[in-house]
């Protein structure tokens, strides 16, 4: 996992992103220097911590990035930061913040540190201290007593520093250290004058975590364990093991070497275990669990409770915060084969790197016959994408899209691809030389992370050339208790079109004959899925749709999938998916074949506006026989 994460971070193009609490729309590239940073050279000042002082942040070591970063198109004072929420600082709630550490890959001027409160998605000035100059390596900044404050139990902060960004390509243009670590990653937030003016921008988490740490002061308990949370597989097979991961922080003075747990299902004890795992003082570790499910467990939803009962082979002698945690899972006995792997591809015609996402998915579609690829177009600039419509925006919002090009694979959280911990959409702007290696890796990862499917889908369709009405029926055949297992799931039906030729900004220039495939053209259900009306463990749903004259019915396909209604980012995984071409009715086919003297009935621009005469560029012409032709007018 570690090697793959580093590999993807190395070959992934730098793409900006937007996420709460900052709404952004920028695709300025953050540049990475080509000169390795060596921490032992001119390492800067590192103040020794007092016995009751600790480092608090996304990571708390002296590690720094191997290469520096910089927004080298600017020559101005900028700010950079990470968001610190209770997941980052919560173990130190009640401790006093007495200072900060900032790690740099080059000397900087106009250096100052700041901490802002985040209130109602706005940044509120809180603590700020001017330093003047920052040195390559770690820089320790201690606060005056009047500026020290106590960490709360809730709320979020922006923790960062200001510096003079230099324009150019010399080593001092790349001062930012973003350390690439496989645990929780902080998104790089940047304040400067980019393509949307002077404001905060979000460059995502693909670079690693900004090297900023709080210095906190307080007294540790003799023994204190904090259970942060529990994640399990959504489904577990009766009689088999249910896998899970529990996160525990040791805030006691002594190291933890082993942990004991009791397991409950619906408040009935079903097992216990002791796991040998070292957790050093002031460290957080994930502990892997495997819970045996009883062979007589009923199919359906259940509540699993994990209780911490022992620390170092003895009952806890002091505080355990939240000594148990409960999650819901579903038990099943049988499953269905997976039909297709849904890939929801996020792209835009003005995105200069989006052609790389197309290249990756074209190769994946050619190499594997189980891929249902849907290209969803968004507006990356002030220009409206010709294939954008309002439901595209809704889908991107539900998926949590933050960058172009990107993709969601079966709406599954894939930690080996993830930039952070709260996204099911992953950047796919990979350099071309890596695509042949990445396609099988990503496809295999997608397949290996599939949950069991409980319904198979069958799609039938028809199209009437005269009325241009499409009718689509999706039938679902489920396993026993499918309706219960898929409670809260909806049916989604997409219509896509292949072979669209139009403009695409690619690598800094416009391509006028770029082939857009699998382009989303319509959503026949509610954009977050229609509720399923079950008949026992089966269902049937029919939708009709009038196909616009500018669409070529010969190139239309239907993608249907069953998935939870959007909400919990860790529980949106597609249960099954199917794709098929639109079926033309025999009468329509006969009409198309019979009429060899077809005449022009209407003419449209590429974006669907009707025109009365040929217009320069690509014209869409509807013929009297119902066919649609693309004609290039020079």
């Amino acid at each position: 996992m570690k090697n793959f994460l580093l590999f993807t971070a190395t070959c992934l193009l730098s793409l900006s992103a937007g996420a709460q609490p900052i709404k952004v729309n920028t695709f300025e590239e953050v540049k990475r220097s080509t000169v390795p940073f060596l921490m032992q050279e001119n390492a800067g000042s590192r103040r020794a911590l007092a016995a009751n002082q600790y480092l608090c942040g996304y990571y708390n070591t002296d590690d720094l990035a191997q290469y520096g970063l910089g927004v080298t198109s600017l020559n101005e004072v900028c700010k950079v930061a990470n968001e610190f929420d209770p997941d980052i600082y919560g173990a130190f709630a009640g401790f006093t913040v007495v200072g900060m550490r900032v790690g740099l890959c080059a000397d900087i001027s106009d250096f100052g540190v700041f901490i802002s409160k985040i209130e109602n998605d706005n940044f509120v000035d809180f603590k700020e201290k001017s330093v003047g100059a920052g040195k390559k390596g770690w820089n320790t900044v201690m606060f005056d007593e009047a500026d020290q404050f106590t960490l709360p139990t809730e709320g979020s902060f922006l923790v960062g520093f200001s510096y003079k960004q230099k324009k150019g390509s010399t080593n001092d243009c790349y001062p930012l250290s973003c350390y690439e670590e496989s645990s929780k990653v902080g998104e790089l937030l940047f304040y400067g004058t980019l393509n949307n003016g002077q404001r905060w921008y979000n460059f995502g988490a693909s670079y690693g975590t900004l090297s900023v740490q709080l210095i906190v002061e307080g007294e540790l308990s003799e023994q204190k364990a904090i259970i942060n949370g529990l994640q399990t597989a959504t489904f577990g097979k009766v009689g088999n093991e249910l896998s899970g991961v529990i996160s525990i922080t040791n805030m006691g003075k002594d190291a933890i070497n082993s942990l004991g747990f009791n397991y409950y299902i619906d408040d009935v004890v079903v097992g216990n275990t002791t796991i040998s795992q070292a957790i050093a003082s002031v460290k957080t570790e994930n502990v892997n669990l495997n819970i045996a499910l009883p062979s007589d467990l009923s199919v359906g939803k259940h509540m699993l409770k994990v209780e911490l009962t022992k620390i170092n082979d003895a009952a806890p002698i002091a505080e355990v915060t939240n000594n148990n945690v409960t999650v819901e899972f579903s038990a099943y006995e049988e499953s269905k084969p997976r039909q297709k792997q849904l890939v929801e591809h996020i792209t835009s015609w003005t995105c200069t790197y989006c052609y790389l996402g197309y290249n990756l998915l074209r190769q994946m579609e050619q190499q594997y016959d189980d891929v249902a690829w849907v290209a969803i177009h968004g507006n990356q600039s002030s220009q409206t994408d010709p294939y954008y419509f309002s439901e595209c925006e809704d889908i991107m919002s539900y998926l949590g899209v933050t960058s172009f090009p990107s993709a969601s694979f079966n709406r599954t959280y894939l930690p080996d691809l993830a930039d952070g911990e709260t996204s099911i959409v992953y950047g796919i702007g990979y350099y071309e030389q890596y695509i042949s290696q990445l396609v099988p890796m990503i496809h295999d990862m997608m397949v290996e992370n599939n949950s069991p499917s409980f319904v198979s889908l069958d799609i039938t369709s028809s199209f009437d050339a005269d009325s241009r009405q499409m009718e689509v029926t999706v039938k679902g055949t489920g396993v026993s208790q499918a309706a219960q297992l898929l409670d809260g799931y909806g049916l989604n039906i997409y219509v896509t079109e292949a072979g669209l030729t139009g403009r695409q900004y690619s690598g800094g220039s416009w391509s006028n004959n770029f082939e857009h495939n699998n382009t989303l053209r319509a959503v026949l259900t509610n954009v977050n899925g229609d509720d399923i009306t079950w008949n026992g463990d089966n269902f049937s749903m029919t939708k009709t749709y009038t196909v616009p004259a500018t669409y070529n019915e010969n190139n239309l396909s239907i993608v249907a999938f069953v998935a939870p209604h959007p909400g919990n980012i860790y529980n949106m995984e597609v249960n099954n998916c199917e794709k098929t071409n639109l079926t033309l009715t025999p009468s329509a086919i006969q009409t198309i074949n019979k009429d060899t003297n077809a005449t022009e009935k209407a003419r449209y621009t590429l974006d669907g506006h009707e025109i009365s005469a040929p217009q320069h560029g690509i014209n869409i012409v509807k013929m009297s026989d119902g066919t649609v032709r693309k004609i290039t007018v020079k």
Side-chain angles (χ1 to χ4, degrees):
M1 180 185 298
K2 179 75 169 180
N3 291 337
F4 185 76
L5 282 167
L6 292 176
F7 174 69
T8 56
T10 300
C11 66
L12 183 64
L13 278 174
S14 309
L15 300 174
S16 304
Q20 292 297 334
I22 310 96
K23 184 174 176 61
V24 304
N25 183 22
T26 179
F27 298 88
E28 176 96 12
E29 184 178 355
V30 175
K31 309 294 183 181
R32 186 188 294 270
S33 71
T34 57
V35 180
F37 167 73
L38 300 176
M39 192 179 111
Q40 62 267 30
E41 293 183 8
N42 193 19
S45 60
R46 283 185 292 177
R47 174 184 179 275
L49 297 180
N52 64 339
Q53 292 179 346
Y54 306 92
L55 295 175
C56 170
Y58 286 82
Y59 69 101
N60 55 15
T61 68
D62 285 338
D63 295 326
L64 291 173
Q66 183 181 8
Y67 297 93
L69 295 173
V71 185
T72 57
S73 61
L74 298 181
N75 185 32
E76 65 185 39
V77 176
C78 304
K79 293 181 179 180
V80 286
N82 280 153
E83 179 184 344
F84 280 42
D85 60 22
D87 285 346
I88 302 304
Y89 69 76
F92 292 101
F95 281 51
T96 302
V97 176
V98 297
M100 284 177 56
R101 288 209 318 169
V102 173
L104 299 171
C105 291
D107 293 351
I108 57 173
S109 64
D110 298 271
F111 177 44
V113 299
F114 67 89
I115 301 172
S116 298
K117 290 182 178 180
I118 300 176
E119 297 178 356
N120 300 319
D121 290 350
N122 294 313
F123 301 144
V124 179
D125 291 340
F126 184 46
K127 304 294 179 183
E128 189 171 0
K129 184 170 184 177
S130 176
V131 181
K135 295 294 184 181
K136 182 178 181 180
W138 283 102
N139 296 259
T140 301
V141 181
M142 302 304 294
F143 294 153
D144 297 333
E145 187 173 349
D147 289 324
Q148 298 175 5
F149 67 98
T150 301
L151 281 172
T153 57
E154 58 184 26
S156 293
F157 300 92
L158 205 63
V159 179
F161 61 93
S162 57
Y163 75 104
K164 176 67 175 293
Q165 172 64 56
K166 296 182 178 180
K167 185 175 182 178
S169 58
T170 57
N171 291 343
D172 58 353
C173 297
Y174 305 98
L176 306 181
S177 168
C178 287
Y179 180 59
E180 293 166 338
E181 191 177 56
S182 61
S183 59
K184 186 176 177 67
V185 181
E187 293 178 322
L188 175 60
L189 308 181
F190 179 89
Y191 185 87
T193 308
L194 297 178
N195 61 346
N196 281 342
Q198 190 177 55
R199 55 173 293 178
W200 280 102
Y201 296 86
N202 187 334
F203 285 102
S206 60
Y207 303 103
T209 296
L210 188 67
S211 297
V212 290
Q213 300 166 346
L214 297 176
I215 300 173
V216 299
E217 186 175 284
E219 297 298 328
L220 296 179
S221 303
E222 288 296 322
Q223 183 189 80
K224 182 177 181 180
I226 300 174
I227 298 179
N228 305 304
L230 171 67
Q231 289 184 15
T232 67
T234 305
F235 300 101
K237 191 170 185 178
V238 171
N240 287 8
E241 288 186 335
L242 178 72
S243 60
V245 176
I246 190 168
S247 172
I248 296 180
T249 299
N250 178 13
M251 289 300 292
K253 293 181 179 180
D254 299 328
I256 292 175
N257 298 308
S258 67
L259 298 159
F261 299 98
N262 280 347
Y263 303 140
Y264 301 77
I265 294 180
D266 303 329
D267 290 327
V268 176
V269 176
V270 295
N272 60 77
T273 189
T274 298
I275 297 174
S276 297
Q277 182 156 340
I279 307 178
S281 177
V282 199
K283 293 290 184 180
T284 299
E285 299 288 348
N286 288 331
V287 180
N288 295 320
L289 306 175
N290 292 292
I291 301 102
L293 299 181
S295 57
D296 59 351
L297 189 64
S298 61
V299 171
K301 297 183 184 299
H302 297 277
M303 299 304 297
L304 169 71
K305 182 171 73 175
V306 176
E307 179 185 30
L308 178 60
T309 58
K310 293 182 180 180
I311 297 177
N312 296 338
D313 295 323
I317 59 174
E319 181 181 1
V320 176
T321 303
N322 304 323
N323 77 314
N324 65 76
V325 61
T326 302
V327 296
E328 185 180 75
F329 76 98
S330 292
Y332 73 96
E333 291 182 341
E334 55 179 327
S335 60
K336 294 274 190 177
R338 177 72 62 150
Q339 293 169 275
K340 292 288 190 294
Q341 313 293 334
L342 176 67
V343 178
E344 290 169 289
H345 169 210
I346 311 303
T347 188
S348 182
W349 75 319
T350 56
C351 164
T352 190
Y353 298 124
C354 279
Y355 76 98
L356 293 172
Y358 262 99
N359 289 348
L360 183 141
L361 294 177
R362 282 194 182 102
Q363 191 172 132
M364 183 178 290
E365 187 179 52
Q366 292 167 1
Q367 197 165 331
Y368 301 96
D369 61 5
D370 65 342
V371 175
W373 167 16
V374 179
I376 301 166
H377 283 245
N379 296 323
Q380 181 264 329
S381 68
S382 59
Q383 303 180 63
T384 301
D385 190 293
Y387 305 124
Y388 165 87
F389 54 101
S390 61
E391 284 88 345
C392 295
E393 190 76 32
D394 294 334
I395 294 169
M396 289 189 287
S397 176
Y398 287 135
L399 295 179
V401 170
T402 59
S403 66
F404 300 87
S406 56
S408 177
F409 302 99
N410 286 323
R411 299 188 173 183
T412 303
Y413 175 66
L414 301 173
D416 285 359
L417 280 183
D419 290 340
E421 295 188 349
T422 57
S423 179
I424 55 172
V425 183
Y426 314 101
I428 56 172
Y430 294 101
Y431 287 121
E432 292 179 276
Q433 63 264 36
Y434 297 104
I435 287 177
S436 60
Q437 298 170 258
L438 285 164
V439 163
M441 293 173 67
I442 294 175
H443 181 269
D444 289 352
M445 190 183 306
M446 178 167 52
V447 172
E448 289 167 2
N449 281 274
N450 281 336
S451 288
S453 298
F454 303 120
V455 64
S456 59
L457 303 176
D458 179 66
I459 305 172
T460 58
S461 62
S462 63
F463 174 76
D464 181 82
D466 295 327
S467 65
R468 297 195 63 77
Q469 188 172 76
M470 166 197 300
E471 184 174 278
V472 176
T473 297
V474 179
K475 293 183 178 180
T477 304
V479 300
S480 175
Q481 303 299 314
Q484 183 178 0
L485 291 166
L486 298 178
D487 180 40
Y489 284 60
L491 177 67
N492 303 259
I493 305 175
Y494 290 166
V495 177
T496 66
E497 184 174 3
L500 293 168
T501 303
R503 301 186 78 200
Q504 177 66 50
Y505 198 60
S506 302
S509 62
W510 284 100
S511 171
N512 292 318
N513 294 295
F514 189 88
E515 186 176 350
H516 295 274
N517 287 322
N518 303 292
T519 304
L520 181 64
R521 293 300 236 166
V523 180
L524 303 192
T525 54
N526 190 296
V527 73
N528 65 356
D530 277 4
D531 290 336
I532 297 173
T533 301
W534 292 91
N535 181 12
D537 293 312
N538 306 317
F539 70 83
S540 179
M541 188 180 296
T542 298
K543 296 290 182 179
T544 58
Y545 173 64
T546 301
V547 179
T550 53
Y551 296 9
N552 186 344
E553 63 271 17
N554 296 284
N555 293 337
L556 296 182
S557 296
I558 300 146
V559 176
F561 61 97
V562 171
H565 295 305
N568 180 355
I569 200 73
Y570 297 112
N571 187 31
M572 287 175 58
E573 184 182 346
V574 172
N575 191 260
N576 216 341
C577 174
E578 182 62 300
K579 178 180 180 179
T580 186
N581 295 331
L582 174 64
T583 301
L584 305 180
T585 60
S587 58
I589 294 172
Q590 290 164 7
T591 301
I592 291 170
N593 292 337
K594 193 181 296 182
D595 189 353
T596 58
N597 299 308
T599 59
E600 180 177 326
K601 288 187 65 178
R603 183 178 290 257
Y604 304 85
T605 60
L606 191 60
D607 58 1
H609 296 293
E610 188 168 5
I611 52 179
S612 59
Q615 192 175 98
H616 177 72
I618 297 175
N619 291 195
I620 307 297
V621 180
K622 180 181 178 182
M623 306 302 292
S624 58
D625 62 357
T627 60
V628 177
R629 302 177 185 178
K630 294 183 181 70
I631 298 174
T632 302
V633 180
K634 297 183 178 179

